[in-house]
């Protein structure tokens, strides 16, 4: 581990207090005694350093892609759209039904309640520190098996920019001699598109495979960028002489991209891990903390084989 990596690791270790962080580049100890395929609880934190985001020019000749064999993390409390018995939509397009109850002891890839996470205190420290931007913190359970049968897990979080979020990509977990982690996610920074000249050419960001567009009557204005975009749209309509304050902004928004890419930082790493330990993936800007713990719930042993089937 070089000096920069050691310094970064020491800062994070100090910030997170009592947690023991194992740098992902460290040499692992003795091999496990048996095959470790089975159920695990996974907890992942991804964050960015605000101070360092603009200090380096990151390569733009990068390839962004989602694997074809993916799985999504699901909300056990999500609602589902109501349908008529014949499969058609009801008159009330906003009708929803509560999703069926999910047994989190046997169903993989469902987000766990915050009370069942083990790294809440660490995530809170990152969230409360102005130097960092907390992009993702979730926990779930899954069967971890060999790499051939494993699935890439879609990861996204942070602020929304049109069809994209600041953090997107995937991770893949598998087991051979050790637990193995592959990260394939990127941190994108955007500017509102006001017709400015783009000085660097970045690759097109792929739309995540489970993306579902939301039909809204306008921008949510949850950020300064969204406010700037709304004002730019309104000014353009005034200039064209067709401003209608009650009109839907959809036509204006589709005329040109809402945002232009300022920078993309890609984090692709492959690391061996030990279960039960907190591991830190080091990077100058985008970083991750992950803990994978064997799960021995009452239903896990009976459903391992079924859940592992691709």
């Amino acid at each position: 581990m070089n000096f920069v990596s050691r310094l970064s690791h020491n800062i994070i270790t100090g910030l997170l207090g009592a947690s023991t962080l194992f740098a992902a580049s460290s040499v692992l100890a003795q091999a496990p005694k048996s095959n470790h395929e089975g159920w695990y609880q996974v907890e992942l934190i991804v964050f960015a350093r605000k101070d360092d985001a603009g200090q380096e020019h990151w390569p733009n000749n990068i390839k962004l892609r989602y694997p074809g064999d993916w799985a999504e993390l699901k909300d056990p409390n999500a609602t589902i759209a109501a349908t008529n018995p014949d499969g058609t939509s009801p008159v009330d397009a906003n009708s929803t039904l509560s999703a069926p109850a999910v047994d989190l002891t046997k169903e993989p890839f469902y987000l766990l309640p915050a009370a069942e996470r083990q790294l809440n205190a660490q995530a809170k420290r990152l969230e409360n520190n102005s130097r960092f931007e907390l992009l993702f913190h979730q926990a779930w359970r899954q069967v971890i098996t060999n790499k051939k049968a494993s699935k890439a897990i879609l990861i996204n979080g942070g602020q929304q920019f049109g069809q994209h979020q600041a953090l997107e990509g995937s991770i893949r977990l598998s087991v051979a001699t050790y637990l193995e982690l592959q990260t394939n996610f990127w941190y994108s920074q955007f500017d509102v598109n006001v017709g400015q000249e783009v000085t660097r050419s970045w690759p097109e960001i792929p739309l995540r495979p489970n993306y579902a567009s939301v039909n809204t009557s306008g921008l949510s204005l949850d950020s300064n960028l969204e406010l700037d975009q709304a004002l730019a749209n309104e000014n353009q309509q005034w200039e064209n002489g067709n401003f209608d304050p009650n009109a839907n902004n959809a036509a204006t928004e589709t005329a040109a991209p809402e945002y232009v890419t300022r920078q993309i930082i890609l984090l692709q790493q492959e690391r061996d891990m030990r279960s039960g330990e907190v591991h830190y993936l080091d990077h100058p800007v985008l970083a991750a903390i992950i803990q994978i713990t064997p799960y021995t719930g009452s239903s896990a042993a009976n459903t391992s084989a079924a859940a592992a089937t691709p």
Side-chain angles (χ1 to χ4, degrees):
M1 191 185 299
N2 59 32
F3 172 77
V4 174
S5 296
R6 289 200 305 271
L7 177 62
S8 177
H9 179 261
N10 291 340
I11 291 173
I12 298 299
T13 303
L15 176 68
L16 301 186
S19 294
T20 302
L21 294 178
F22 290 84
S25 57
S26 62
V27 178
L28 297 179
Q30 61 185 358
K33 298 180 180 179
S34 60
N35 189 322
H36 275 194
E37 290 189 5
W39 275 81
Y40 288 82
Q41 179 163 320
V42 182
E43 187 164 357
L44 175 67
I45 296 173
V46 184
F47 63 96
R49 296 180 179 84
K50 296 180 180 179
D51 297 348
D52 301 324
Q55 294 183 5
E56 295 190 47
H57 289 286
W58 298 93
N60 58 353
N61 58 339
I62 55 178
K63 294 182 179 180
L64 309 178
R65 62 179 296 271
Y66 287 100
D69 54 342
W70 55 269
E72 65 177 338
L73 298 174
K74 295 167 285 190
D75 182 357
N77 301 314
T79 57
I80 57 177
T83 58
N84 295 323
D86 60 358
T88 61
S89 299
V91 175
D92 182 1
N94 295 320
S95 296
T96 59
L97 298 172
S98 298
V102 176
D103 186 347
L104 298 177
T105 67
K106 63 173 63 174
E107 297 292 339
F109 303 120
Y110 274 95
L111 300 176
L112 298 179
E116 297 195 41
R117 301 175 191 158
Q118 301 179 40
L119 303 178
N120 285 327
Q122 292 86 337
K124 193 65 176 178
R125 292 190 187 100
L126 288 168
E127 188 175 28
N128 291 339
N129 191 307
S130 60
R131 292 183 53 197
F132 302 101
E133 178 183 0
L134 183 65
L135 299 168
F136 180 92
H137 179 214
Q138 294 291 352
W140 66 93
R141 297 182 183 124
Q142 68 172 95
V143 172
I144 300 182
T145 184
N146 63 80
K147 186 174 294 185
K148 184 177 181 180
S150 67
K151 290 183 179 293
I153 305 160
L154 302 182
I155 301 295
N156 57 278
Q159 190 172 323
Q160 188 81 32
F161 298 93
Q163 294 181 322
H164 296 284
Q165 286 184 265
L167 173 71
E168 295 183 325
S170 64
I171 65 169
R172 187 184 299 272
L173 299 169
S174 59
V175 65
T177 304
Y178 301 103
L179 286 168
E180 297 181 354
L181 167 67
Q182 288 181 307
T183 64
N184 173 48
F185 42 65
W186 47 89
Y187 174 55
S188 304
Q189 297 169 300
F190 299 89
D191 291 320
V192 172
N193 184 3
V194 291
Q196 69 270 43
E197 180 182 354
V198 180
T199 57
R200 298 189 72 192
S201 177
W202 294 95
E204 182 179 356
I205 303 175
L207 193 63
R208 60 182 184 267
N210 65 337
Y211 177 81
S213 59
V214 179
N215 184 20
T216 62
S217 59
L219 295 171
S220 63
L221 307 185
D222 288 335
S223 69
N224 290 333
L225 280 179
E226 289 175 330
L227 176 58
D228 291 343
Q229 177 64 44
L231 294 175
N233 289 340
E234 182 176 317
N235 289 337
Q236 185 64 44
Q237 291 180 70
W238 274 110
E239 291 174 4
N240 294 339
N242 59 356
F243 177 71
D244 180 357
N246 298 315
N248 191 301
N249 288 333
T252 304
E253 293 175 13
T254 57
E258 295 178 49
Y259 304 98
V260 293
T261 304
R262 185 187 345 137
Q263 185 166 251
I264 303 174
I265 299 170
L266 180 64
L267 180 59
Q268 287 182 329
Q269 294 187 12
E270 294 189 26
R271 293 290 184 246
D272 292 339
M273 299 178 57
R274 290 180 293 189
S275 65
E277 306 289 4
V278 181
H279 287 259
Y280 170 55
L281 277 70
D282 194 16
H283 185 276
V285 175
L286 189 60
I289 300 170
I290 186 169
Q291 183 176 36
I292 304 176
T293 307
Y295 175 62
T296 56
S298 58
S299 303
N302 298 326
T303 58
S304 293
T309 303

